[in-house]
Amino acid sequence: MSDLKDRLSDGLYGLGWATVKKLPEPVAAGLGRRIADVAWKRRGKSVLRLESNLARVVPDATPERLAELSRAGMRSYMRYWMESFRLPTWSKERVERGIDVKDIHYLQEGLASGRGVVLALPHLANWDLAGVWVTRSLGVPFTTVAERLKPESLYDRFVAYRESLGMEVVPHTGGSAFGRLARRLRAGGLVCLVADRDLSASGIEVAFFGDTARMPAGPAILAQQTGALLLPVTLWYDDTPVMKGRVHPPVDVPGAGTRAEKTAVMTQALADAFAEGIADHPEDWHMLQRLWLADLEDQGTDGRAPGAEEGGAA
């Protein structure tokens, strides 16, 4: 049964890439909204988990407001997929029309300095679109990390997809990812990491919307060990077809403390920047999995969609 589900997942994603990119853009957008609304009405595990997470982000929300947010959240999530399926067909001009990023000078100045840059961002809006904008419009290649998915064919599909967009992708497991990322940074390159949910046993506990969550230590440790600039990034949708983004001020390495203490301070600073962006646009946070430690203690099956947790593009 598990093997059948894996093959079905791979087939459905393959169908999406093959079919959605051929649809006229308004048709694809409308299809995404309809799929989102159907999923939302079914009240499956992913929708309920999203709503539970949003209740922490907006603690004073009424049940009606939470329902509105979760519906908007599913529409935002499906917009991400509809756009991502179509990204390989987008021209440089179409990519540039699709995104507007504030304070990009932090990234440009960091790269110009030759010290390397780590961009860290949460699962907000469309990180793949932002990544394509970096590679095509800014002309800057970067390296990212992807979670190994099952079946292997689905993982290979995601890697091929992201590499076709100009990204270098390394697997999250296997032990070599950190070393390769560090080498890219020491050479003055760019590394982009989705960093609001820990996928290892070495995550850092942070205060996040009034409770404790665990986020990856990698961005902070990379910055410490390589001298790279660490920049939080947040993304969001609004009422226009143009996705918005912001590069936040650098997270500095503390001048005193052990490496573990410095890592904790820096990771908390990332969490604070993420929280600011998520609080402003909670419906665009695609967190359909358990995140807070209190929820993980009673963890069951979350109904995670394949690909939902890769270390995707910035």
Side-chain angles (χ1 to χ4, degrees):
M1 182 62 70
S2 176
D3 184 57
L4 177 62
K5 289 176 66 177
D6 287 346
R7 293 200 304 272
L8 179 60
S9 294
D10 184 34
L12 288 173
Y13 279 87
L15 181 64
W17 268 300
T19 303
V20 172
K21 66 183 179 182
K22 298 177 182 178
L23 297 174
E25 200 158 317
V27 175
L31 176 62
R33 288 191 296 270
R34 288 193 293 273
I35 294 173
D37 288 348
V38 169
W40 178 78
K41 289 178 181 177
R42 288 181 176 176
R43 310 288 292 165
K45 289 182 178 179
S46 293
V47 173
L48 295 176
R49 175 50 50 192
L50 174 62
E51 209 161 279
S52 176
N53 291 340
L54 289 171
R56 290 181 180 270
V57 175
V58 191
D60 58 348
T62 63
E64 293 77 16
R65 174 60 177 152
L66 279 177
E68 291 174 0
L69 282 173
S70 65
R71 183 180 185 185
M74 291 305 295
R75 285 189 168 194
S76 175
Y77 184 54
M78 287 311 303
R79 176 174 171 177
Y80 161 78
W81 282 111
M82 293 297 113
E83 288 178 346
S84 295
F85 286 144
R86 297 174 60 80
L87 276 179
T89 69
W90 283 17
S91 66
K92 177 182 176 181
E93 293 71 25
R94 176 64 186 88
V95 170
E96 290 175 342
R97 292 199 312 270
I99 184 170
D100 178 25
V101 181
K102 300 177 181 178
D103 296 327
I104 193 64
H105 65 91
Y106 288 121
L107 171 59
Q108 294 169 323
E109 291 165 3
L111 291 171
S113 73
R115 61 186 289 193
V117 175
V118 179
L119 293 181
L121 63 163
H123 287 80
L124 273 170
N126 193 336
W127 47 95
D128 282 333
L129 171 56
V132 174
W133 180 75
V134 167
T135 60
R136 293 186 184 175
S137 297
L138 298 185
V140 179
F142 67 84
T143 304
T144 188
V145 174
E147 179 194 6
R148 280 204 174 274
L149 305 172
K150 293 183 179 180
E152 191 73 14
S153 58
L154 182 57
Y155 170 77
D156 292 340
R157 193 187 295 278
F158 271 97
V159 170
Y161 157 71
R162 290 202 163 106
E163 289 181 341
S164 76
L165 300 177
M167 312 173 194
E168 180 188 23
V169 182
V170 298
H172 180 268
T173 56
S176 63
F178 187 91
R180 192 185 305 187
L181 297 178
R183 288 193 295 274
R184 298 295 183 268
L185 292 169
R186 290 191 178 104
L190 176 63
V191 166
C192 303
L193 302 170
V194 178
D196 56 344
R197 187 168 186 263
D198 181 54
L199 293 175
S200 72
S202 58
I204 303 298
E205 292 188 5
V206 295
F208 197 59
F209 290 105
D211 209 337
T212 304
R214 188 180 291 120
M215 294 187 181
I221 294 176
L222 282 167
Q224 291 178 64
Q225 292 194 0
T226 68
L229 193 68
L230 177 56
L231 297 174
V233 178
T234 53
L235 306 168
W236 66 93
Y237 294 125
D238 57 18
D239 294 332
T240 74
V242 180
M243 183 179 75
K244 305 302 192 297
R246 177 191 173 197
V247 181
H248 295 249
V251 173
D252 294 327
V253 178
T258 65
R259 189 178 80 167
E261 290 169 342
K262 293 178 181 179
T263 300
V265 170
M266 295 171 73
T267 305
Q268 182 64 61
L270 284 180
D272 292 343
F274 295 166
E276 180 182 347
I278 293 166
D280 287 343
H281 305 279
E283 68 278 7
D284 291 322
W285 189 39
H286 306 156
M287 186 54 65
L288 280 66
Q289 300 83 34
R290 299 173 190 263
L291 178 69
W292 283 271
L293 299 191
D295 296 332
L296 290 168
E297 290 172 357
D298 189 31
Q299 185 170 11
T301 302
D302 259 338
R304 174 168 56 90
E309 290 182 359
E310 295 110 46

